[in-house]
Amino acid sequence: MYKPFEIKQNLFYVGVNDRTKHLFESLWPLPKGVSYNSYIINDEKIALIDTVDICYSDVFFNKIRSVLGDKPIDYLVVNHMEPDHSGSIELLTKRYPDIKIVGNSRTESMLKGYYGITENVLVIEDNEELSLGKNTLQFYLTPMVHWPETMMTYVKESKTLFSADAFGTFGTLDGGVTDTQLNPGRYWDEMVRYYSNIVGKFGSPVQAALKKLSGVEIETICSTHGPVWTQPETIAKVVSIYDRLSKYESENGLVIAYGSMYGNTEQLAEIIAAAAAENGAQNIVMHNVSKSHESDILRDVFKYRGLIIGSPTYNNKPSPGVESLLSALQNRNLKKRFFGFFSAHTWADGAKRDLKAFADGMEFEMVCGPVEMKQSLSSDVTKNAYALGKAMAEKLNSGADVVPQKTDCR
């Protein structure tokens, strides 16, 4: 039998860790695993907040039993219907047939669509409250953070926010559960990678949710992935990371992402990086798209203000890895970046065409005209590559805001 972990009085953690899955959503690597978090409020009425991936339902139910024994559960609050959080609902209703499922109208529709559940569903509205006895639940609808049914649940008496996927991060909970038991430092980069890959497209809805919560006093954040945040300094940092990323704000640094077939385009990237460093740029990160996973590139692009992308032409298009990266950045509505690009070709420069179309469609500021290499790394190409790196460093060091416009430094 598990020993229940009590986060605070009558609030218990019953989530699980996944150290088996290689790819989250079959897309994003999990080198440090991931947790699926669920919580019990043990009051006059008992509320379970979210469930876990069905693969871990046996562990999940054992943990519930360690808290409640044979007592029934009165309410299941569903903050988010994605299957890694709702996957155990159908099994839960079989074990607790009288349980009432609490969610909004979109939750109700998804419960029917996913699991055929239409009975014992309590549909709530924005700001509606539900008393458990000593604890009062207040519900905040936060659509598109990052699904349309997403909501957050706030316990007024303990100032605890159950935030669904917001404020979440990759990484398992190794031994402990709260930020007082774990080292928060291991989660910050994984939080940025989680946000940029999973939530990155939805900056405006995240800002709307933060605005809705701005007057709410929060002492504990219980998200569905990652540690329970209890310390004022870590809560402030978590909120600030989500606030900054959802505004597309960034740190001073440069990402150079490139594809290269035979090494020529890579040499252009090296010259650009060296020129940027020589002219004062720091925090330069280089990614060969054939080796770096896209999730790591997206993390760094969301993190840093400068972005330069380069590619050879392949089948009259950018290399497949670069093409995928361009699509991912467009899909996430990335903005507020200083930008430059370079291309290489032998007879037809389709990469330059598509990189230019990408730049024209984004809210970026071009720091320099494109660098184009035909067949060989000539002295003129080298000069232009150096100019691009220098222009990027000067722009990053200027402290200026990004102003979407087209610039030619040559």
Side-chain angles (χ1 to χ4, degrees):
M1 180 68 71
Y2 291 94
K3 180 180 179 181
F5 179 76
E6 192 169 13
I7 299 168
K8 54 175 59 177
Q9 187 175 12
N10 295 322
L11 171 59
F12 295 88
Y13 179 83
V14 290
V16 300
N17 287 299
D18 187 344
R19 298 185 181 88
T20 303
K21 194 177 278 89
H22 289 282
L23 296 175
F24 190 77
E25 298 179 341
S26 297
L27 291 169
W28 316 116
L30 292 172
K32 298 177 182 178
V34 69
S35 68
Y36 311 119
N37 298 342
S38 176
Y39 309 90
I40 287 175
I41 303 173
N42 193 2
D43 202 338
E44 294 170 23
K45 297 286 188 179
I46 295 171
L48 176 67
I49 313 294
D50 295 307
T51 72
V52 304
D53 192 302
I54 194 171
C55 297
Y56 292 89
S57 59
D58 55 342
V59 178
F60 175 56
F61 290 129
N62 284 337
K63 287 192 171 186
I64 291 174
R65 187 172 177 80
S66 75
V67 176
L68 299 178
D70 295 327
K71 292 169 64 176
I73 302 173
D74 297 285
Y75 299 108
L76 167 65
V77 176
V78 180
N79 287 317
H80 185 26
M81 275 294 298
E82 206 164 0
D84 55 332
H85 306 299
S86 70
S88 296
I89 288 179
E90 191 171 6
L91 293 175
L92 185 76
T93 59
K94 288 178 168 52
R95 288 175 178 248
Y96 300 94
D98 296 325
I99 194 170
K100 289 185 173 61
I101 303 177
V102 181
N104 55 68
S105 60
R106 289 183 179 272
T107 312
E108 181 184 33
S109 174
M110 291 185 184
L111 284 166
K112 179 180 179 180
Y114 270 111
Y115 308 115
I117 294 174
T118 57
E119 297 181 354
N120 288 337
V121 179
L122 177 61
V123 178
I124 54 87
E125 302 290 339
D126 194 23
N127 290 311
E128 190 171 337
E129 297 183 359
L130 176 66
S131 175
L132 301 179
K134 296 178 181 177
N135 294 280
T136 305
L137 307 183
Q138 186 171 14
F139 305 103
Y140 293 96
L141 304 191
T142 54
M144 299 318 301
V145 184
H146 54 121
W147 275 26
E149 88 302 347
T150 303
M151 67 183 196
M152 300 184 191
T153 301
Y154 180 67
V155 181
K156 301 173 71 173
E157 291 76 12
S158 65
K159 300 179 176 60
T160 299
L161 180 70
F162 299 92
S163 61
D165 274 356
F167 311 124
T169 173
F170 293 132
T172 53
L173 307 181
D174 297 341
V177 171
T178 71
D179 52 7
T180 61
Q181 301 174 306
L182 302 162
N183 177 9
R186 74 184 289 261
Y187 295 98
W188 300 137
D189 268 359
E190 285 294 81
M191 178 171 283
V192 176
R193 190 167 71 93
Y194 175 87
Y195 179 93
S196 59
N197 287 274
I198 308 300
V199 192
K201 182 181 179 69
F202 304 101
S204 294
V206 171
Q207 279 295 302
L210 290 173
K211 183 178 180 181
K212 181 175 284 191
L213 295 169
S214 61
V216 178
E217 187 177 356
I218 299 171
E219 293 184 357
T220 305
I221 294 179
C222 299
S223 79
T224 47
H225 296 294
V228 173
W229 308 109
T230 65
Q231 300 300 295
E233 61 272 19
T234 52
I235 289 175
K237 182 158 186 171
V238 165
V239 174
S240 71
I241 288 173
Y242 268 70
D243 183 38
R244 184 180 75 250
L245 293 174
S246 61
K247 293 176 181 174
Y248 300 94
E249 294 176 350
S250 51
E251 301 174 25
N252 212 23
L254 170 61
V255 176
I256 301 176
Y258 64 90
S260 189
M261 296 168 63
Y262 299 108
N264 295 312
T265 315
E266 184 171 58
Q267 289 309 303
L268 269 181
E270 295 281 8
I271 293 167
I272 293 165
E278 184 179 321
N279 287 276
Q282 294 182 329
N283 298 322
I284 299 173
V285 182
M286 300 183 71
H287 285 290
N288 183 331
V289 298
S290 297
K291 184 176 181 180
S292 295
H293 194 276
E294 190 171 276
S295 70
D296 295 318
I297 304 175
L298 290 172
R299 174 200 61 211
D300 291 337
V301 169
F302 267 77
K303 190 173 183 178
Y304 293 121
R305 190 167 298 116
L307 174 62
I308 298 175
I309 299 178
S311 178
T313 294
Y314 188 86
N315 286 339
N316 205 30
K317 301 284 287 182
S319 69
V322 170
E323 195 170 17
S324 176
L325 177 62
L326 298 181
S327 175
L329 295 173
Q330 288 172 320
N331 183 258
R332 284 159 178 78
N333 301 322
L334 184 72
K335 50 180 70 76
K336 297 183 181 180
R337 294 297 182 273
F338 296 121
F339 185 68
F341 67 89
F342 58 100
S343 63
H345 69 285
T346 297
W347 67 89
D349 198 358
K352 177 184 176 181
R353 177 199 63 220
D354 287 2
L355 283 164
K356 182 180 184 303
F358 167 78
D360 289 343
M362 304 294 285
E363 294 182 37
F364 294 160
E365 179 177 342
M366 289 285 291
V367 303
C368 191
V371 178
E372 180 181 0
M373 178 172 67
K374 183 176 181 179
Q375 297 168 1
S376 67
L377 190 61
S378 67
S379 59
D380 284 344
V381 173
T382 300
K383 178 182 176 181
N384 292 338
Y386 185 91
L388 173 55
K390 181 174 184 287
M392 178 61 78
E394 290 174 345
K395 185 60 74 170
L396 289 172
N397 291 332
S398 70
D401 293 330
V402 174
V403 180
Q405 61 185 21
K406 313 306 171 192
T407 303
D408 195 330
C409 61
R410 300 194 303 276

